[in-house]
Amino acid sequence: MKIAVDAMGGDFAPGAVVEGAATALFDFPECQLVLVGHAGKLKFYLEKYGISNHPRIEVVHAETVVEMCEHSTAALRAKKDSSITVCAKLMKEGKVQAVVTPGHTGAAVAAMKVLVRTLPGVDRPALAALMPGQGFDFLLTDAGANTDCTPLNLVQFAVMGEVYAQFLFGESEPAVGLLSVGGEDVKGNDLTKSVFKHLAALKMNFTGNVEANTVYEGGTRVLVCDGFTGNVFLKCAEGLAKSVIHWFKHSVLGNPLRMTGAALVKSAFLEVKARGSAEQAGGAPLLGINGICIIGHGTSSPLAVRNAIKVAAEC
Amino acid sequence: MKIAVDAMGGDFAPGAVVEGAATALFDFPECQLVLVGHAGKLKFYLEKYGISNHPRIEVVHAETVVEMCEHSTAALRAKKDSSITVCAKLMKEGKVQAVVTPGHTGAAVAAMKVLVRTLPGVDRPALAALMPGQGFDFLLTDAGANTDCTPLNLVQFAVMGEVYAQFLFGESEPAVGLLSVGGEDVKGNDLTKSVFKHLAALKMNFTGNVEANTVYEGGTRVLVCDGFTGNVFLKCAEGLAKSVIHWFKHSVLGNPLRMTGAALVKSAFLEVKARGSAEQAGGAPLLGINGICIIGHGTSSPLAVRNAIKVAAEC
C-alpha cells in the first residue's frame, strides 16, 4: 500500500509531518510512504528523524504550499505545483492508493474534487469524523468539507455516512440522525427541515432529529449536518474537553488532599483525554471521492499524523 | 420586583418550576413571583412545597400550554390562552417587570416579539448564553432564538451582545468575535463572510473569526453566530461535559487505587461540574425586547428555575 503524505500541510509542517511519517514507517511495515513537499526543506527533517535512505520512503518535490490563510480554489488555481495538488495528481495517476494531509481542508477538498473526482451520484465529498460517545462512537458528517450546503448535499452525506458506518461498525442498518436544535420533528432551520423530509422517505434507519447533547448518550451512529455546523460541533467538543481538564487542574492545585487524589487518578485521566483527543483519531476520511483521502487537523502533532496514516492504511 | 414565571414550561413542569419558585422566594426576599399556569394543576404543587398562601406569590390562570413538539407560531395562534402568552401579556401591561420560562424557546421568542415587541432598531431578539471559558466567561449569542438568520440579524446580535457584555463584565470595549470554521479572515460560510465585512466596519472591538475550540482559551467576550449554530454549540458543550464525567467514572470503576483517588478529588469534580452546568446558569436573557425575558433549558431542574429567577432579578 502506497500513501502520499502532504508534508507541507498544517501548522507544524514539515517537522511534525516527517516525524509522524517516521513513526508510521516503523509501526506499519506494510506501508510505503511518498512525502510530498519542498525537497530542500524536507531533507533536514528526513535526516533528523533518520529516514533519509529508508527503503519504504520516497520524496516527490512540490515547489509551493497552500497557506491556511488563502482562499482554497483561488490558491489552487494560482499554485499548480502546491503539495496538495501534487498529492492529488499522484492519486489520479494511480501512483498512490491514498493521500494524507493535515493542511488546508478547503484546498484538499477542492484538489480532490477537481483532479480525483467524486464517485457517480456524489455532488460533494464529505468529511466523516469519528466522535466518542458515552457507550459507543458515532460518525459526524460533514465535519467541515462544505461550509454551504443544499438539502440534496446532506441527503448524500447521510447515504455515504451510512455506508461508511456499515463498514466501520459492522452494522447492517446503522442509525442515522439529523443534527438539529430539538428532538421533535418540527424543530430545525430551513435546511434541516427540508433534509428531514427527504431522509424520512429513504430506505435507511433514519431516527429523526438529534440534539448536540443527546447524541453523546448513544442511539445514533451517523450524525448528519452541513460542514459549517459539523466543524463547529467538532471543535466545540475539543475545546470543552481541554477546558474540563484545565478547570480540574485549577480546582486541585493548592489543596493537598485533592492533589494526592489527582495523582492516584492521573492514569484514568489520561485514558479519558486520549478518548476525546483529535490526536488519537488522526484524521477524517473524505467520503465520496474516487480514492482515499484522510484530512487531519491543521494543528496535527506527529502522533496525529502517524494515526492519520493508520486510518488511510485501514481504508 | 415582580417576575412572571411560566409554570407550565419545560419537561418537568409544573413540579420542578413550583419547587424552584419556592426556593427563589426563600433566597431572594426582594422578589415577588407570579406563577402562570393551570390553577388546578398548580394547587397540588403549591401545597406540596408549602407556598400556597405565601405573601409574595400569586397565581394567574392559563388554560393551555405550548407543547415542545408544536410549531411555535402556529401554536401561539391556536392557543391564545397559553401560559407563555399570558406571561407576555402581563409584561406588556406592565404588571410584571420580567418573565422566566423553561418552556418552548421558539414560542417564547414569538410571544415576546408579537406582544412585548423589540427595541427600536432590533429586527430579531437573540438569546445570550453565558459560557464558561478557561480564564473567564464569554457570551454566546444567538444561542437559539433564530434558526435562520440574515447577515443584518447577526450584526444586531453583535451590537446587543456588546452592550450586555459591557454591563455583565464591566468592560468598556468587550472583544467581539465571529464564530467560524477557521481563524483566518477568508474562512467561513456565505453568512459569516458577509457578517465579517459588516462587523469590521463597525466601531467596536471586533477581533475577527474565532473557532469553536480556541474561544475557550480566552480573548473573546461575545461570540456571535446564528441561533442554529449557537444552539448546537451550547448543547455540544453540555453533552461533552457529561461524557467526560461518564468516561472518568467508567475509567475509575473496578480499580481500587483509582477509586480512592476519585474519592479524594470528588469535591474538585463537583466544582468543575457546577462550572459547566446549565443548571447554574439557569437561563439566558432574550436580548432586544422591550422588557426582560429569561429562557431556561427545556429540562430545567428546580435549581435551574431558581437560578433563572435570579438572573431575571439581576437584569
Side-chain angles (χ1 to χ4, degrees), chain B residues 10 19 25 29 59 75 103 112 130 132 135-136 150 178 196 208 282 286-287 289-290:
Chain B
E19 190 180 347
L25 276 180
V59 170
M112 292 298 149
L130 188 63
F136 48 91
T150 65
L178 181 62
F196 188 102
L286 188 64
L287 304 180
I289 55 159
N290 195 13

Side-chain angles (χ1 to χ4, degrees), chain A residues 1-15:
Chain A
M1 167 123 206
K2 221 166 180 178
I3 301 170
V5 180
D6 174 7
M8 309 309 280
D11 299 341
F12 307 124

Side-chain angles (χ1 to χ4, degrees), chain A residues 68-71 104-105 132-135 147-148 179-182 184 186-193 211-214 216-217 226-229 231-244 246-248 250-252 255 257-262 264-265 267-269 271-272 275-276 297, chain B residues 68-71 104 131-135 147-148 179-182 184 186-193 211-214 216-217 226-229 231-244 246-248 250-252 255 257-262 264-265 267-269 271-272 275-276 297:
Chain A
M68 295 307 254
C69 59
E70 290 185 274
H71 186 276
H104 194 304
T105 302
Q134 287 179 17
T147 48
D148 290 280
L179 179 59
S180 190
V181 294
E184 302 84 5
V186 296
K187 299 280 179 77
N189 59 13
D190 292 344
L191 177 66
T192 66
K193 283 176 195 168
E211 289 181 277
N213 49 349
T214 52
Y216 287 101
E217 294 162 15
D226 67 274
F228 184 88
T229 310
N231 198 260
V232 166
F233 185 107
L234 189 73
K235 287 177 179 163
C236 174
E238 187 191 328
L240 196 92
K242 276 190 189 165
S243 292
V244 168
H246 172 93
W247 297 328
F248 184 74
H250 190 83
S251 192
V252 161
N255 180 322
L257 204 66
R258 289 181 180 179
M259 282 170 82
T260 311
L264 293 174
V265 291
S267 56
F269 243 112
E271 275 178 30
V272 171
R275 190 150 191 164
H297 204 298
Chain B
M68 295 305 254
C69 59
E70 290 185 273
H71 187 275
H104 194 303
M131 303 288 296
Q134 287 179 18
T147 48
D148 290 280
L179 179 60
S180 190
V181 294
E184 302 84 5
V186 295
K187 299 279 179 80
N189 58 13
D190 293 343
L191 177 66
T192 66
K193 283 176 194 167
E211 289 181 277
N213 49 349
T214 52
Y216 287 100
E217 294 162 17
D226 68 273
F228 184 88
T229 309
N231 199 260
V232 166
F233 185 107
L234 189 72
K235 287 178 179 164
C236 174
E238 187 191 327
L240 196 93
K242 277 190 187 166
S243 293
V244 168
H246 171 92
W247 296 329
F248 185 74
H250 190 82
S251 192
V252 162
N255 180 322
L257 205 65
R258 289 182 179 177
M259 283 171 81
T260 311
L264 293 174
V265 292
S267 56
F269 242 111
E271 275 177 30
V272 171
R275 190 149 191 165
H297 204 297

Side-chain angles (χ1 to χ4, degrees), chain A residues 159-294:
Chain A
V159 174
M160 294 191 290
E162 186 196 27
V163 173
Y164 185 50
Q166 285 169 339
F167 154 78
L168 199 67
F169 304 127
E171 289 177 10
S172 59
E173 292 186 334
V176 178
L178 180 62
L179 179 59
S180 190
V181 294
E184 302 84 5
D185 292 6
V186 296
K187 299 280 179 77
N189 59 13
D190 292 344
L191 177 66
T192 66
K193 283 176 195 168
S194 171
V195 175
F196 188 102
K197 285 178 202 154
H198 286 102
L199 291 183
L202 281 188
K203 261 198 184 172
M204 62 161 53
N205 183 11
F206 176 56
T207 54
N209 284 336
V210 180
E211 289 181 277
N213 49 349
T214 52
V215 68
Y216 287 101
E217 294 162 15
T220 303
R221 281 300 206 177
V222 182
L223 185 63
V224 179
C225 58
D226 67 274
F228 184 88
T229 310
N231 198 260
V232 166
F233 185 107
L234 189 73
K235 287 177 179 163
C236 174
E238 187 191 328
L240 196 92
K242 276 190 189 165
S243 292
V244 168
I245 292 166
H246 172 93
W247 297 328
F248 184 74
K249 278 184 183 162
H250 190 83
S251 192
V252 161
L253 270 179
N255 180 322
L257 204 66
R258 289 181 180 179
M259 282 170 82
T260 311
L264 293 174
V265 291
K266 196 178 174 188
S267 56
F269 243 112
L270 292 176
E271 275 178 30
V272 171
K273 200 174 169 181
R275 190 150 191 164
S277 90
E279 259 194 336
Q280 282 300 324
L286 188 63
L287 304 180
I289 55 160
N290 195 14
I292 296 164
C293 176
I294 310 298

